[in-house]
């Protein structure tokens, strides 16, 4: 913390000299990333310049680099536009835009991805990840790493609404995981968020699923049950708070949930696997009137037993990213050390090795879960 006032601010500015240009990875055609020099961007009103200290690789980055979507720039795919991908970053505020007094130079922050446009119905409702002007910069839409420049670079401009303070004792790498925990939090939010004492099944021990276990447990859910195929990840799930884990290679997950809950089923399922039959299985894990949130999806259309959903009054939600300030709530739980997100961080690379970091994440080399690029040593 620092004292307020101009003297302090200018003192801190000197501490963080800002060059005119920076290193940044840009996307050429599909799968073509190159490291270039770009001008350091300037923050406008309600924005700050963030010196990026670390960034985590997300499965969505891999999608964007290969297929373009869900990134979109002015209604078009993000190829050959000098676009910098990457969205799960944290860093240090080094310059304030005009009128900004919500943050100070020197503040350590993590970012959520979507600023939205601030003018459409969804943004006004707090559902800025579902902005109706998504991808249209002239309408004011910003989602760094999706429709505006992201974080595989030394600096980025962020709207102040996308920043959350992080405590000094939290490492850079851990702070990059907050947005992933925020996505899990948003999934639990949209299902109603009333989970203390209720059973929650998390399907799929990927990064969002594992953070879902941590968040559900921190919010008082019981039992928290994690299902998956990889024993090592299920073990991490236990450390994050899962009372029961089910290896679906050994036991049918629906039968296992029935066994664990004494035939009652659970109130909520957070589906994070994208497996073709996951929704049908989730429907048979929840009790009548239960709720399912889909945070992942199969790449092809799949058959769903709709009659079962309707007859049993089962609610199905889909989420896109992390809306309604869920990232801030996740950051609060992590600042309070309610679960140890660091358990999912498996590998670290420097900025010069972003393609290697992405390859580790994509091919799950050495069972990589979260791969972090440490851009600057503090
Ligand atoms: Zn992500
Ligand atoms: Zn909007």
């Amino acid at each position: 913390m620092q004292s307020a006032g101009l003297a302090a601010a200018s003192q801190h500015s000197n501490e963080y000299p800002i060059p005119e240009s920076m290193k940044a990875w840009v996307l050429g055609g599909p799968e073509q990333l190159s490291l270039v020099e770009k001008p350091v961007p300037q923050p406008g009103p309600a924005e700050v310049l963030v010196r990026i200290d670390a960034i985590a690789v997300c499965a969505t980055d891999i999608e964007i680099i290969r297929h373009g979507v869900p990134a979109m720039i002015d209604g078009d795919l993000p190829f050959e536009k000098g676009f910098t991908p990457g969205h799960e970053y944290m860093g240090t505020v080094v310059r304030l835009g005009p009128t900004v007094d919500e943050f100070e130079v020197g503040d350590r922050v993590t970012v959520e991805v979507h600023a939205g446009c601030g003018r459409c119905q969804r943004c006004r409702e707090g559902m800025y990840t579902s902005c109706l002007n998504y991808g249209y910069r002239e309408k004011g839409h910003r989602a760094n790493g999706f429709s505006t420049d992201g974080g595989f670079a030394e600096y980025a401009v962020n709207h102040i609404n996308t920043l959350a303070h992080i405590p000094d004792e939290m490492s850079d790498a851990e702070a990059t995981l907050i947005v992933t925990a925020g996505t899990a939090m948003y999934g639990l939010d949209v299902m109603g968020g009333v989970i203390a004492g209720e059973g929650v099944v998390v399907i799929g021990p990927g990064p969002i699923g594992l953070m879902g276990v941590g968040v559900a447990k921190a919010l008082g859910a019981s039992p928290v049950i994690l299902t998956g195929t990889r024993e090592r990840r299920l073990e991490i799930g236990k450390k994050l708070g899962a009372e029961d884990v089910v290896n679906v290679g050994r036991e049918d997950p629906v039968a296992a949930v029935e066994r664990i809950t004494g035939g009652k089923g659970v109130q909520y399922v957070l589906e994070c696997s994208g497996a073709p039959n996951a929704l049908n299985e989730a429907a048979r894990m929840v009790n009548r009137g239960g709720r399912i949130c889909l945070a992942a999806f199969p790449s092809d259309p799949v058959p769903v037993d709709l009659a079962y959903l309707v007859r049993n009054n089962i609610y199905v939600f889909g989420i896109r990213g992390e809306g309604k300030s869920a990232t801030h709530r996740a950051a609060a739980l992590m600042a309070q050390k309610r679960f140890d997100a660091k358990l999912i961080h498996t590998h670290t690379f420097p900025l010069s090795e972003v393609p290697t970091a992405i390859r580790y994440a994509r091919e799950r080399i050495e069972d990589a879960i979260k791969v972090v690029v440490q851009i600057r040593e503090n």
Side-chain angles (χ1 to χ4, degrees), residues 69-94:
V69 289
M72 191 195 272
I73 297 176
D74 301 331
D76 205 358
L77 290 175
F79 299 119
E80 311 289 357
K81 292 188 166 63
F83 164 70
T84 297
H87 57 271
E88 298 183 356
Y89 59 92
M90 58 72 62
T92 307
V93 173
V94 292

Side-chain angles (χ1 to χ4, degrees), residues 116-120 122-123 131-133 141:
C117 74
R119 62 197 276 182
C120 77
R122 290 290 172 265
C123 283
C131 174
L132 301 176
N133 290 315
H141 179 262

Side-chain angles (χ1 to χ4, degrees), residues 56-61 86-88 113 146 176 179-180 183 208 321-322 370:
V57 178
C58 174
T60 309
D61 295 325
H87 57 271
E88 298 183 356
V113 184
F146 287 83
T176 66
V179 71
T180 304
T183 303
I208 295 173
E322 59 309 298
K370 263 301 186 193

Side-chain angles (χ1 to χ4, degrees), residues 84 148 182 184 187 215 219 267 318 337:
T84 297
T148 43
V215 171
L219 295 176
Q267 180 73 5
K337 298 187 168 55

Side-chain angles (χ1 to χ4, degrees), residues 103-123:
F103 289 85
E104 291 183 38
V105 169
D107 284 355
R108 284 178 82 228
V109 291
T110 194
V111 306
E112 58 180 311
V113 184
H114 298 258
C117 74
R119 62 197 276 182
C120 77
Q121 182 186 359
R122 290 290 172 265
C123 283

Side-chain angles (χ1 to χ4, degrees), residues 268-324:
Y268 301 105
V269 174
L270 184 61
E271 202 305 276
C272 304
S273 74
N277 202 35
L279 178 51
N280 289 323
E281 291 182 348
R284 284 165 171 81
M285 293 172 178
V286 292
N287 45 32
R288 200 168 294 141
R291 298 175 178 221
I292 298 166
C293 179
L294 306 176
F297 51 85
S299 43
D300 294 316
V302 293
V304 174
D305 186 351
L306 288 175
Y308 189 87
L309 296 174
V310 175
R311 285 195 190 109
N312 290 285
N313 205 139
I314 292 167
Y315 300 87
V316 179
F317 301 82
I319 55 161
R320 179 184 170 95
E322 59 309 298
K324 296 200 174 175

Side-chain angles (χ1 to χ4, degrees), residues 44-369:
E47 293 176 339
V48 302
L49 182 67
V50 176
R51 185 194 73 189
I52 302 171
D53 297 330
I55 175 168
V57 178
C58 174
T60 309
D61 295 325
I62 296 166
E63 275 297 300
I64 289 169
I65 290 164
R66 183 174 284 175
H67 301 294
V69 289
M72 191 195 272
I73 297 176
D74 301 331
D76 205 358
L77 290 175
F79 299 119
E80 311 289 357
K81 292 188 166 63
F83 164 70
T84 297
H87 57 271
E88 298 183 356
Y89 59 92
M90 58 72 62
T92 307
V93 173
V94 292
R95 180 175 282 166
L96 307 177
T99 76
V100 172
D101 57 6
E102 293 86 348
F103 289 85
E104 291 183 38
V105 169
D107 284 355
R108 284 178 82 228
V109 291
T110 194
V111 306
E112 58 180 311
V113 184
H114 298 258
C117 74
R119 62 197 276 182
C120 77
Q121 182 186 359
R122 290 290 172 265
C123 283
R124 294 283 292 164
E125 291 168 346
M127 292 174 68
Y128 39 82
T129 59
S130 297
C131 174
L132 301 176
N133 290 315
Y134 182 89
Y136 290 93
R137 291 182 294 186
E138 73 276 18
K139 296 277 257 180
H141 179 262
R142 291 187 68 87
N144 286 1
F146 287 83
S147 65
T148 43
D149 274 342
F152 290 126
E154 292 181 292
Y155 294 90
V157 162
N158 272 80
H159 193 282
I160 57 163
N161 285 347
T162 64
L163 302 176
H165 280 112
I166 50 177
D168 291 343
E169 61 273 18
M170 186 183 288
S171 71
D172 291 354
E174 183 175 3
T176 66
L177 308 174
I178 289 175
V179 71
T180 304
T183 303
M185 172 73 84
Y186 188 42
L188 296 170
D189 286 348
V190 300
M191 287 194 285
V194 186
I195 69 170
E198 298 286 359
V200 174
V201 173
V202 177
I203 302 177
I208 295 173
L210 287 168
M211 291 298 89
V213 168
V215 171
K217 182 69 176 179
L219 295 176
S222 183
V224 176
I225 303 166
L226 174 65
T227 73
T229 55
R230 292 173 180 234
E231 205 55 52
R232 190 171 146 260
R233 292 182 177 212
L234 294 173
E235 284 305 313
I236 293 173
K238 274 190 195 163
K239 291 188 183 134
L240 283 162
E243 282 121 301
D244 296 276
V245 296
V246 178
N247 187 326
V248 302
R250 293 202 206 113
E251 186 175 7
D252 172 70
V254 174
V257 170
E258 204 174 313
R259 170 179 59 76
I260 293 162
T261 60
K264 291 206 298 271
V266 294
Q267 180 73 5
Y268 301 105
V269 174
L270 184 61
E271 202 305 276
C272 304
S273 74
N277 202 35
L279 178 51
N280 289 323
E281 291 182 348
R284 284 165 171 81
M285 293 172 178
V286 292
N287 45 32
R288 200 168 294 141
R291 298 175 178 221
I292 298 166
C293 179
L294 306 176
F297 51 85
S299 43
D300 294 316
V302 293
V304 174
D305 186 351
L306 288 175
Y308 189 87
L309 296 174
V310 175
R311 285 195 190 109
N312 290 285
N313 205 139
I314 292 167
Y315 300 87
V316 179
F317 301 82
I319 55 161
R320 179 184 170 95
E322 59 309 298
K324 296 200 174 175
S325 299
T327 301
H328 286 72
R329 290 188 289 287
L333 291 180
M334 285 171 60
Q336 293 165 37
K337 298 187 168 55
R338 301 289 296 278
F339 57 93
D340 188 3
K342 296 189 297 296
L343 290 165
I344 69 168
H345 169 213
T346 53
H347 295 77
T348 308
F349 294 94
L351 180 62
S352 58
E353 292 181 36
V354 162
T356 312
I358 288 169
R359 189 164 57 82
Y360 265 67
R362 183 176 57 207
E363 297 170 20
R364 295 180 183 173
I365 295 171
E366 296 160 11
D367 200 16
I369 304 178

